[in-house]
């Protein structure tokens, strides 16, 4: 058996913080063979990114390797000088980061940035760099590579930027590629394109890859072997097939469970203990009369004929009935956020009507709606729980805000009682109420946001990708909480997301939007099982497909033997 | 139920007050320089408040000792050409100098923030008009502009305050504008609108408090600058008039005697001025940490 390309033995990393030393990763061992794709999966704080930083020797000043060794192709990486390390980075090992736009220099042409990498590592001279860079742009399937060479990062879409970053990372034909959450923040379709590209290129150049992700489904679909990490420890490692079909450890099972599948119900995501506590859901609810009806809604930005004229939403009509959950699905830029802002009355409409509880609220200017009687009945849960809480306010103050503004007659004692009641309702421990947002975890912040949104007992709640920034296990709990609240408080939901698997869990009906128009509308199971349009089909196909659980056991063992020989 | 509900609130409030002092102590202990600067700052404040009652001699009385005495046991900082005690004059001047700079900075902070907040939040014409107005002020050499304002409006302490406030206005307006405009569409601002806050309340209740940490640094740097500015105006004979003790005037009067070797007339008020400016420059980071909730753990 040939020695592995990268071999990490009993590696520990410590971070010096205000409260003493914290061990971020604790004696982990893993290895990557030549040409292999390894997935490191874990939730935030599991130490998966720190592992990759330790390999690249780019830990920040507070972090240091406390023990163990990292060897790469026989070299001891933790002993190497910074000077040699600089040579290895990019030429031998390269990395793709989470936010492609931040990884590119905003004031330099993208082609030039690829050329810089080539020249830096003596792979090209000034005169040949341009041609080689264009070659790389072609390799990452950027059309019009000659023209795109001259583009600045802001002129490219997120997916395009990530392709450029991949081109930079692969420009010097490294042996090992570390991809740290390369598709977070990208649409499902773009995610698929980027991941397909990475796996195609690494196969072509016979490179090894480490894919770091929180998405078990994504990792399983693209990796040969998976390492599951929790709180700085390796919980389990196995081939993707084996891990998916027969997880050994409870944590892996829980993680697998919490990842939404095509056929899972919202309660299935929870652990058995959590399920036992959950509310029994009524078998099926019959939606009542129309609560919200949107008719030929239209939004234009800029003046017609001017350079920045843009129609975000064109002729949109749909209804939400009482007690119903409607999913609104589409890629970024399809107009779903604009639509939600207009319904929320944060944005004025260009044309069309929005009838809510029998009143046309589109006629009321967004600026005056704050004082309107219906303000409290129409609320929203935002995408980013951190961004949506005032950093100077404690959780209690944030939840109290709508009560203070919208029911000013409430006495202090009543308000206090209501805040405690809301905290209990959303499962936020009462002792956390006087904490500031930065002292709360993502899931707790999400609960504060939800408590604030339901404080005025709204009739319609818009959920704008409420779990996009959360870990899968937290997502599972939050989705269940939302499902509970809907039944307890009799609310209707408009759930906005690009992830059909998540939307399907909560929604009865789904609308698929593309370029400001509805392309398909129907019951959740119809859309999932029998999509009528190509666009919906492409959205469905883009969802990562982990190995099927019914794959035969013999196949699994064969794979294991393959890897071992 | 109501009993149960009130208890956490009151205990919480007590906790947060205690937490504030704890936080102050933590901030001072974490960075020794911050501790020193807070110490100096409270020292200056104490001198400004109690100084006039504690000084050994009347600061404006002439002939309390022989003229032009070098520093000694009776007159720690020596005496001037009229036999006045320099120590008493330097100590008593603290109150006036701090008063001028604090009121000038407070005025420019309040008005600059209001202008900047409106410009940053509403944009458009509000922004354009206030922006050009601030550019106009910045286009003048600032000290010369202050001289002009005092000369035109009349030679009084209030006018020194107004002049200093006006020349500092653009710094606050620009900073507030930048800090507000990056937050005007943040998630928590949208959420505040959904909670039924009016536009003005969103602006001043939600966005503006979040701009305070960088503003605090600006305030403290500006304080030092405002003291220098007031002293500078007095030095050239505008604003505060002799025999009222003021650091700028003390330096100006003492400057006549440098050639003849009576150095103490210039050095001590100069040192006092330097110490005050030094304190305010140092205290900025500490103040920022104090008003930033993210530093609280």
């Amino acid at each position: 058996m040939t020695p592995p390309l990268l071999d990490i033995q009993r590696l520990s990393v410590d971070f010096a913080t205000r409260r003493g030393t914290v061990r971020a990763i604790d004696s982990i061992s893993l290895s990557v063979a030549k040409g292999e794709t390894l997935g490191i999966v874990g939730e935030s704080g599991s130490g998966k990114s720190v592992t990759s930083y330790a390999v690249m020797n780019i830990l920040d000043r507070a972090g240091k390797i406390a023990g163990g060794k990292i060897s790469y192709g026989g070299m001891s990486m933790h002993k190497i000088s910074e000077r040699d390390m600089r040579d290895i980075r990019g030429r031998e090992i390269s990395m793709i980061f989470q936010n492609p736009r931040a990884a590119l220099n905003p004031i330099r042409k993208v082609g030039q940035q690829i050329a810089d990498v080539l020249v830096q590592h003596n792979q090209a001279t000034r005169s040949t760099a341009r041609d080689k860079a264009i070659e790389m742009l072609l390799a990452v399937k950027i059309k019009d590579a000659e023209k795109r060479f001259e583009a600045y990062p802001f002129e490219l879409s997120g997916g395009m930027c990530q392709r450029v970053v991949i081109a930079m990372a692969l420009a010097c034909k490294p042996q090992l590629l570390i991809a740290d959450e390369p598709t977070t923040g990208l649409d499902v379709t773009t995610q698929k394109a980027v991941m397909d590209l990475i796996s195609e290129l690494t196969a072509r150049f016979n490179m090894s890859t480490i894919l770091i992700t929180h998405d078990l489904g994504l990792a399983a679909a693209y990796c040969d072997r998976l390492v599951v990490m929790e709180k700085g420890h390796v919980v389990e490692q196995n081939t993707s097939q084996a891990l998916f079909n027969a997880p050994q450890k409870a944590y892996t099972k829980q993680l697998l469970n919490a990842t939404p599948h095509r056929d899972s119900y919202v309660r299935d995501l929870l652990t058995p203990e959590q399920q036992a506590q959950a509310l029994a859901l009524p078998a099926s609810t019959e939606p009542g009369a129309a609560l919200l009806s949107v008719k030929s809604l239209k939004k234009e930005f800029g003046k017609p004929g001017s350079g920045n004229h843009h129609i975000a939403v064109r002729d949109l009509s749909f209804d939400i009935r009482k007690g119903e959950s409607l999913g609104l699905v589409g890629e970024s830029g399809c107009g779903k956020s604009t639509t939600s802002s207009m319904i929320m009355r944060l944005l004025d409409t260009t044309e069309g009507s929005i009838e809510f509880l029998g009143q046309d609220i589109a006629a009321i200017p967004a600026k005056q709606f704050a004082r309107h009687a219906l303000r409290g009945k129409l609320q929203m849960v935002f995408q980013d729980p951190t961004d949506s809480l005032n950093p100077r306010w404690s959780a209690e103050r944030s939840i109290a805000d709508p009560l203070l503004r919208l029911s000013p007659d409430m006495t202090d004692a009543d308000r206090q009682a209501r805040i405690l009641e809301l905290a209990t309702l959303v499962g936020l421990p009462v002792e956390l109420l006087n904490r500031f947002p930065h002292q709360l975890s993502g899931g707790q912040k999400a609960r504060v946001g939800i408590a604030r949104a339901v404080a005025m007992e709204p009739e319609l709640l818009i959920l704008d990708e409420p779990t996009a920034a959360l870990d899968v296990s937290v997502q599972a709990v939050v989705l269940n909480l939302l499902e509970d609240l809907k039944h307890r408080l009799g609310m209707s939901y408009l759930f906005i997301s690009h992830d059909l698997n998540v939307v399907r869990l909560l929604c009865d009906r789904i609308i698929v939007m593309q370029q400001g128009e509805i392309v398909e509308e129907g019951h959740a199971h119809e859309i999932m099982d029998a999509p009528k349009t190509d666009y919906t089909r492409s959205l469905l196909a883009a969802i990562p497909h982990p190995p099927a659980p019914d794959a035969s056991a013999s196949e699994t063992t064969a794979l294991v033997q393959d890897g071992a020989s | 139920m109501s009993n149960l509900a009130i208890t956490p609130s009151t205990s919480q409030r007590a906790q947060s007050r205690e937490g504030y002092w704890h936080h102050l102590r933590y901030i001072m202990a974490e960075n020794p320089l911050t501790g020193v600067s807070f110490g100096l700052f409270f020292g200056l404040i104490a001198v400004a408040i109690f100084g006039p009652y504690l000084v050994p001699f009347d600061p404006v009385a002439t002939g309390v000792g022989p003229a032009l005495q070098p520093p000694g046991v009776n007159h720690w900082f020596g005496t001037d050409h009229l036999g006045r005690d320099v120590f008493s004059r330097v100590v008593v001047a603290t109150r006036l100098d701090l008063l001028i700079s604090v009121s000038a900075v407070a005025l420019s902070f309040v008005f600059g923030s209001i202008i900047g907040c409106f410009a940053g939040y509403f944009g458009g014409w509000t922004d354009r008009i206030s922006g050009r107005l601030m550019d106009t002020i910045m286009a003048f050499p600032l000290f010369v502009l202050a001289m002009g304002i005092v000369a035109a409006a009349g030679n009084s302490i209030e006018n020194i305050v107004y002049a200093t406030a006006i020349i500092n206005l653009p710094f606050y307006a620009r900073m507030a504008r930048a800090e507000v405009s990056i937050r005007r569409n943040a998630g928590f601002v949208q959420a505040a609108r959904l909670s039924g806050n009016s536009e003005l309340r969103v602006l001043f209740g939600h966005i503006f408090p979040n701009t305070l940490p960088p503003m605090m640094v600006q305030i403290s740097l500006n304080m030092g600058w405002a003291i220098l500015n007031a002293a500078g105006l007095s030095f050239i004979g505008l604003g505060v008039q002799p025999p009222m003790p003021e650091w700028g005037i003390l330096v100006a009067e003492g400057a006549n005697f440098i050639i003849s070797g009576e150095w103490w007339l210039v050095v001590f008020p100069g040192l006092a001025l330097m110490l005050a400016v030094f304190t305010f420059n140092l205290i900025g980071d500490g103040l920022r940490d104090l008003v930033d909730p993210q530093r609280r753990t």
Side-chain angles (χ1 to χ4, degrees):
Chain A
M1 184 176 157
T2 52
L5 183 70
L6 178 77
D7 191 21
I8 298 176
Q9 288 294 332
R10 306 192 61 77
L11 177 74
S12 300
V13 173
D14 282 349
F15 276 87
T17 68
R18 206 151 118 169
R19 298 210 183 115
T21 316
V22 173
R23 181 145 288 198
I25 52 179
D26 190 13
S27 121
I28 64 159
S29 304
L30 51 91
S31 62
V32 186
K34 184 128 187 65
E36 185 187 38
T37 304
L38 176 79
I40 301 183
V41 184
E43 307 205 303
S44 44
S46 63
K48 53 191 195 304
S49 291
V50 174
T51 311
S52 66
Y53 295 165
V55 170
M56 292 292 270
N57 218 339
I58 50 171
L59 287 170
D60 65 39
R61 244 182 348 157
K64 75 179 211 305
I65 294 175
K69 56 182 188 218
I70 306 168
S71 54
Y72 170 81
M75 281 183 294
S76 291
M77 297 284 274
H78 54 288
K79 286 184 192 150
I80 229 161
S81 72
E82 176 60 30
R83 198 197 167 101
D84 293 339
M85 196 64 220
R86 223 174 293 154
D87 213 34
I88 288 175
R89 278 183 219 134
R91 212 181 59 194
E92 291 287 331
I93 308 177
S94 38
M95 212 163 161
I96 302 173
F97 291 97
Q98 200 176 95
N99 184 351
R101 224 172 270 281
L104 292 171
N105 184 344
I107 55 160
R108 208 159 156 73
K109 291 170 183 164
V110 293
Q112 205 61 54
Q113 298 191 42
I114 300 173
D116 289 344
V117 176
L118 289 163
V119 173
Q120 170 77 31
H121 291 287
N122 304 323
Q123 301 282 311
T125 59
R126 285 263 161 238
S127 50
T128 61
R130 187 190 161 89
D131 291 340
K132 285 203 167 180
I134 289 172
E135 214 173 277
M136 278 319 293
L137 286 174
L138 285 171
V140 293
K141 300 185 179 155
I142 288 181
K143 287 179 203 124
D144 265 346
E146 287 272 353
K147 225 173 106 196
R148 291 295 180 212
F149 183 94
E150 311 288 341
Y152 289 96
F154 76 91
E155 296 173 313
L156 302 176
S157 67
M160 281 286 222
C161 281
Q162 194 58 292
R163 281 167 202 260
V164 173
V165 173
I166 294 170
M168 275 169 77
L170 301 187
C172 299
K173 310 278 184 296
Q175 298 286 305
L176 176 65
L177 176 73
I178 301 177
D180 189 355
E181 304 260 11
T183 58
T184 314
L186 300 180
D187 283 322
V188 269
T189 42
T190 321
Q191 162 169 301
K192 183 173 160 55
V194 165
M195 285 311 301
D196 285 348
L197 180 69
I198 290 178
S199 66
E200 185 197 320
L201 289 177
T202 51
R204 197 205 300 171
F205 299 143
N206 193 25
M207 286 163 47
S208 309
T209 313
I210 297 179
L211 173 67
I212 296 171
T213 177
H214 66 274
D215 186 343
L216 204 49
L218 180 75
Y222 288 97
C223 300
D224 307 321
R225 221 150 48 78
L226 294 183
V227 172
V228 179
M229 283 184 74
E230 185 200 14
K231 291 175 188 146
H233 297 273
V234 170
V235 177
E236 190 170 352
Q237 46 181 320
N238 211 333
T239 59
S240 302
Q241 279 279 348
L243 195 92
F244 243 75
N245 292 328
Q248 299 298 313
K249 297 290 182 336
Y251 181 73
T252 318
K253 283 180 194 158
Q254 187 198 331
L255 214 56
L256 271 175
N257 227 345
T259 311
H261 297 277
R262 278 204 55 166
D263 321 297
S264 49
Y265 287 100
V266 65
R267 289 293 187 233
D268 297 345
L269 308 180
L270 296 173
T271 59
E273 303 90 76
Q274 288 168 329
Q275 276 181 21
Q277 287 170 9
L279 197 76
L281 295 181
S284 70
T285 44
E286 202 51 51
L291 176 70
L292 178 92
S293 75
V294 172
K295 287 201 186 71
S296 33
L297 192 62
K298 189 178 177 192
K299 181 69 192 175
E300 288 181 7
F301 291 105
K303 289 205 176 74
S306 72
N308 52 10
H309 180 241
H310 162 65
I311 302 177
V313 175
R314 49 185 98 211
D315 196 27
L316 201 66
S317 303
F318 62 86
D319 283 348
I320 300 178
R321 282 170 292 174
K322 196 159 171 41
E324 186 187 37
S325 294
L326 179 68
L328 186 57
V329 181
E331 295 178 284
S332 54
C334 76
K336 56 189 197 299
S337 296
T338 311
T339 307
S340 85
S341 294
M342 282 192 288
I343 296 173
M344 265 302 116
R345 303 309 302 130
L346 291 172
L347 193 68
D348 283 324
T349 56
T350 307
E351 264 171 44
S353 70
I354 303 169
E355 203 169 290
F356 178 65
L357 287 169
Q359 256 195 56
D360 183 14
I361 54 171
I364 306 161
K367 283 204 163 126
Q368 285 163 26
F369 199 69
R371 290 264 163 262
H372 197 270
L374 288 175
R375 174 74 286 172
K377 298 292 160 208
L378 202 55
Q379 290 290 319
M380 182 163 175
V381 176
F382 291 88
Q383 181 172 6
D384 184 345
T386 311
D387 182 51
S388 67
L389 295 179
N390 189 335
R392 295 186 67 83
W393 281 1
S394 64
E396 184 188 10
R397 183 68 185 82
S398 283
I399 299 174
D401 199 38
L403 299 172
L404 281 165
R405 298 281 84 79
L406 294 171
S407 38
D409 304 332
M410 220 176 197
T411 64
D412 284 356
D414 284 351
R415 196 180 310 114
Q416 276 297 329
R418 178 72 178 139
I419 290 168
L420 288 182
E421 190 190 330
L422 285 166
T424 321
L425 191 66
V426 299
L428 183 75
V430 175
E431 62 270 20
L432 298 183
L433 276 176
N434 58 356
R435 292 219 190 155
F436 289 101
H438 71 277
Q439 297 164 324
L440 298 170
S441 71
Q444 289 162 348
K445 279 183 276 202
R447 285 172 201 270
V448 175
I450 293 170
R452 176 178 61 189
V454 301
M456 295 306 295
E457 297 180 331
E459 296 278 339
L460 177 67
L461 200 56
I462 295 191
L463 310 168
D464 186 2
E465 309 216 17
T467 57
L470 302 173
D471 280 328
V472 277
S473 62
V474 183
Q475 163 174 295
V477 175
V478 169
L479 287 176
N480 274 284
L481 171 68
L482 288 168
E483 184 69 17
D484 282 357
L485 287 175
K486 180 184 154 191
H487 292 288
R488 273 196 197 158
L489 306 176
M491 293 182 287
S492 308
Y493 286 163
L494 176 61
F495 194 123
I496 296 168
S497 180
H498 64 261
D499 190 343
L500 270 166
N501 262 346
V502 174
V503 170
R504 192 189 57 80
L505 289 169
L506 288 191
C507 295
D508 320 313
R509 236 163 19 101
I510 294 177
I511 292 177
V512 181
M513 244 180 115
Q514 186 190 17
Q515 292 174 355
E517 280 174 311
I518 295 176
V519 292
E520 195 166 350
E521 181 175 1
H523 280 281
H525 60 88
E526 284 170 14
I527 299 260
M528 297 295 287
D529 298 334
K532 291 191 200 75
T533 58
D534 287 342
Y535 182 69
T536 314
R537 268 190 284 273
S538 72
L539 280 181
L540 282 167
I543 299 170
H545 293 291
D550 58 351
S552 63
S554 60
E555 202 184 327
T556 317
T557 32
L559 261 170
V560 177
Q561 279 165 356
D562 259 1
S565 60
Chain B
M1 186 66 209
S2 69
N3 239 347
L4 203 148
I6 293 165
T7 337
S9 140
T10 36
S11 71
Q12 226 167 281
R13 223 160 279 155
Q15 210 178 336
S16 88
R17 202 179 308 127
E18 192 184 302
Y20 203 74
W21 283 112
H22 182 82
H23 181 56
L24 179 67
R25 272 214 307 280
Y26 170 76
I27 295 282
M28 294 215 276
E30 185 197 37
N31 186 350
L33 216 57
T34 306
V36 170
S37 67
F38 271 98
L40 282 171
F41 177 70
F42 288 122
L44 269 178
I45 300 290
V47 168
I49 295 173
F50 302 113
Y53 309 113
L54 299 177
V55 289
F57 300 97
D58 182 351
V60 287
T62 52
V64 297
L68 293 174
Q69 278 282 304
V73 183
N74 280 336
H75 301 283
W76 294 347
F77 290 176
T79 58
D80 68 2
H81 60 292
L82 295 174
R84 291 176 295 194
D85 182 46
V86 176
F87 174 71
S88 305
R89 288 176 71 74
V90 167
V91 168
V92 169
T94 313
R95 186 187 281 185
L96 184 62
D97 275 285
L98 285 191
L99 213 61
I100 292 174
S101 56
V102 166
S103 17
V105 168
L107 276 180
S108 40
F109 169 66
V110 169
F111 288 100
S113 298
I114 293 174
I115 294 171
C117 280
F118 279 115
Y121 192 70
F122 295 108
W125 279 107
T126 329
D127 188 17
R128 259 170 263 171
I129 291 171
S130 70
R132 292 302 84 75
L133 203 67
M134 294 302 126
D135 287 348
T136 313
I137 296 178
M138 292 287 275
F140 288 96
L142 294 181
F143 190 74
V144 176
L145 180 63
M147 272 166 58
I149 294 170
V150 176
N155 219 343
S156 70
I157 294 178
E158 294 92 84
N159 286 337
I160 291 205
V161 171
Y162 297 144
T164 312
I166 289 172
I167 62 172
N168 282 331
L169 207 58
F171 299 104
Y172 292 95
R174 283 182 173 185
M175 184 171 248
R177 178 189 173 275
E179 296 285 329
V180 167
S181 71
I182 54 172
R183 287 180 178 86
R184 75 173 163 197
N185 282 321
F188 72 88
V189 174
Q190 302 274 30
R193 289 189 188 125
L194 287 188
S195 300
N197 291 278
S198 60
E199 294 285 303
L200 280 185
R201 202 184 272 276
V202 168
L203 177 54
F204 289 105
H206 288 256
I207 305 179
F208 176 67
N210 277 293
T211 68
L212 280 179
M215 293 290 255
M216 280 298 146
V217 177
Q218 180 72 29
I219 282 181
S220 93
L221 291 178
N222 232 259
M223 284 283 279
W225 205 63
I227 287 187
L228 277 183
N229 192 67
L233 285 175
S234 314
F235 183 85
I236 59 168
L238 286 169
V240 186
Q241 294 300 318
M244 197 181 271
E246 197 277 341
W247 292 333
I249 295 176
L250 292 180
V251 173
E253 285 177 354
N256 301 329
F257 297 92
I258 287 186
I259 312 157
S260 49
E262 282 90 15
W263 52 270
W264 57 90
L265 292 180
V266 181
V267 166
F268 290 110
L271 278 176
L273 200 54
M274 198 194 84
L275 191 72
V277 174
F278 180 67
T279 305
F280 286 120
N281 287 349
L282 277 188
I283 210 170
D285 284 350
L287 272 183
R288 182 200 56 203
D289 292 351
L290 200 64
V291 297
D292 190 352
Q294 312 232 355
R295 305 275 308 180
R296 233 173 281 182
T297 48

